[in-house]
Amino acid sequence: MAGIFRKLTKQFFITVNLVVSASILLLWLLPYSNQSYFWILNLFALVLPYLLLLQVVFIIFWLIAKPRLVWIPLFTFLLSWGLVDSLVSFHSPEQEQALQPGQFRVASWNVHLFDFYENGGRLDPKMIRKAKSLAADILCVQELVFSKDTTSPMSLQRVTRQLGFQYAVTGDDRAFGVHTNINTKNEKYFPFCLAIFSNYPIIRWQKVQSLKEYNHTFIWADVVMGSDTLRVFNVHLQSMHFVKNDYDFIENIDRADVDVVKRQGRNILRKIRNANFQRSIQAQDVKRELQNSPYPVLLMGDFNDVPNSYAYQVIGKGLGDAFAEKGWLLGRTFQFLSPTLRLDYIFYSQPLQPVRYHEYEWDLSDHLPVTTVFERN
């Protein structure tokens, strides 16, 4: 009986290890999958840190229990090293220092409307000052709100000056998002917009919108830096549209009864499925524009998705990830749920080279700002 039990136990752990390994390796197929049907594969990217942790546990377990089986997790690590390299970075953080000739700093931040609603229809001056303190030469902002009234303190021109920039472009025709400031006159605002702020001249720009829906818009701008021109992209991919009840449920799922788990679980999976599908469309749109660029590119933004996800692999193919090159550990940029959620990215193409990467632990938005210093070779 003891022999049968040991045999069954061994087979159980082998099976579990193989399932974990397969779940990791399937991520290589993700960018080639149809997200209408295989959206569940994207969840493997979401839990990849935990799958890798399980592999470490299996390495230790097999070394103790059955050393000849340690090849299963080790072989998986070998085959998935490119996935690990996108997820975890081991470059010690460097101190901020003055830019050297040929270097420039870029930043990306989902500013959550600069707390427009929380501040009674005005931008939070503290957040404005913090954004300015990033000292970026190019700043990509997601979820900006501004007024079409050029005399308003929230006009794009005034916000640009407050942030310390000379040039700015933004998509401004989101009719579905027009709001009215109930505290003053009937003033129209355009919230949830993308903006590129620059201290270098912008010679042309374009808004790309495949569908007249939120998150189906991204912008690019051709920025002249001396004798060079860069095409800078700012993107904000589809969010899960989680509300407070969803976050509360996820964080306290162990306290919920079975009926609540079933009901809320189905609702959350539906949101995840729909968001994954929308992001797959958006990622393909962004990739087409990237491939048409006649210049080196910088792409920044809030992907609302993790490293090695469908959107990350499709958009990032052929580009460098500044965090992977110069970041530290997991590089979390989203403040809720899991400490593994890096959702904000800075991608680049040659001949640009990252020098320093940094994320700022500011409790001002649900996202953290990220910056990178580049040099032009």
Side-chain angles (χ1 to χ4, degrees), residues 230-293:
L230 298 178
R231 180 158 291 183
V232 179
F233 287 76
N234 188 7
V235 303
H236 184 198
L237 304 185
Q238 184 72 32
S239 71
M240 301 289 190
H241 289 307
F242 284 170
V243 296
K244 186 178 184 301
N245 286 342
D246 296 323
Y247 289 119
D248 290 343
F249 168 73
I250 294 172
E251 293 176 351
N252 301 285
I253 190 171
D254 56 321
R255 303 176 189 174
D257 60 42
V258 175
D259 290 337
V260 172
V261 170
K262 288 182 179 179
R263 184 175 65 256
Q264 283 288 92
R266 283 195 295 266
N267 180 54
I268 287 174
L269 282 176
R270 176 182 56 79
K271 290 184 176 183
I272 291 174
R273 180 194 63 209
N274 292 341
N276 283 343
F277 176 67
Q278 295 296 337
R279 282 196 297 270
S280 70
I281 298 173
Q282 294 155 9
Q284 292 292 345
D285 288 347
V286 172
K287 190 63 179 181
R288 278 192 291 271
E289 287 295 320
L290 283 169
Q291 292 171 336
N292 290 332
S293 174

Side-chain angles (χ1 to χ4, degrees), residues 175-346:
F176 63 86
V178 172
H179 287 264
T180 301
N181 183 353
I182 60 175
N183 297 320
T184 60
K185 62 183 180 180
N186 190 29
E187 186 175 358
K188 289 183 177 179
Y189 295 103
F190 290 78
F192 301 106
C193 294
L194 295 157
I196 299 174
F197 298 95
S198 174
N199 281 327
Y200 298 104
I202 296 174
I203 57 174
R204 70 180 63 85
W205 71 282
Q206 184 175 330
K207 175 180 64 68
V208 183
Q209 189 177 44
S210 60
L211 295 174
K212 294 288 184 180
E213 295 179 11
Y214 180 42
N215 288 137
H216 281 268
T217 299
F218 63 93
I219 58 176
W220 57 255
D222 291 339
V223 177
V224 178
M225 307 173 69
S227 59
D228 300 324
T229 302
L230 298 178
R231 180 158 291 183
V232 179
F233 287 76
N234 188 7
V235 303
H236 184 198
L237 304 185
Q238 184 72 32
S239 71
M240 301 289 190
H241 289 307
F242 284 170
V243 296
K244 186 178 184 301
N245 286 342
D246 296 323
Y247 289 119
D248 290 343
F249 168 73
I250 294 172
E251 293 176 351
N252 301 285
I253 190 171
D254 56 321
R255 303 176 189 174
D257 60 42
V258 175
D259 290 337
V260 172
V261 170
K262 288 182 179 179
R263 184 175 65 256
Q264 283 288 92
R266 283 195 295 266
N267 180 54
I268 287 174
L269 282 176
R270 176 182 56 79
K271 290 184 176 183
I272 291 174
R273 180 194 63 209
N274 292 341
N276 283 343
F277 176 67
Q278 295 296 337
R279 282 196 297 270
S280 70
I281 298 173
Q282 294 155 9
Q284 292 292 345
D285 288 347
V286 172
K287 190 63 179 181
R288 278 192 291 271
E289 287 295 320
L290 283 169
Q291 292 171 336
N292 290 332
S293 174
Y295 308 114
V297 301
L298 275 170
L299 185 145
M300 294 178 268
D302 172 9
F303 279 29
N304 276 305
D305 219 337
V306 294
N308 299 306
S309 63
Y310 180 93
Y312 178 95
Q313 292 196 54
V314 168
I315 293 175
K317 185 177 181 180
L319 300 177
D321 179 345
F323 169 82
E325 293 297 323
K326 293 295 179 179
W328 176 243
L329 297 182
L330 292 173
R332 181 185 72 159
T333 65
F334 187 66
Q335 304 231 50
F336 302 110
L337 298 179
S338 171
T340 65
L341 296 180
R342 180 165 74 98
L343 308 182
D344 303 83
Y345 302 93
I346 298 177

Side-chain angles (χ1 to χ4, degrees), residues 1-10:
M1 181 65 71
I4 296 176
F5 177 77
R6 282 197 299 270
K7 184 177 180 180
L8 291 175
T9 302
K10 175 184 172 182

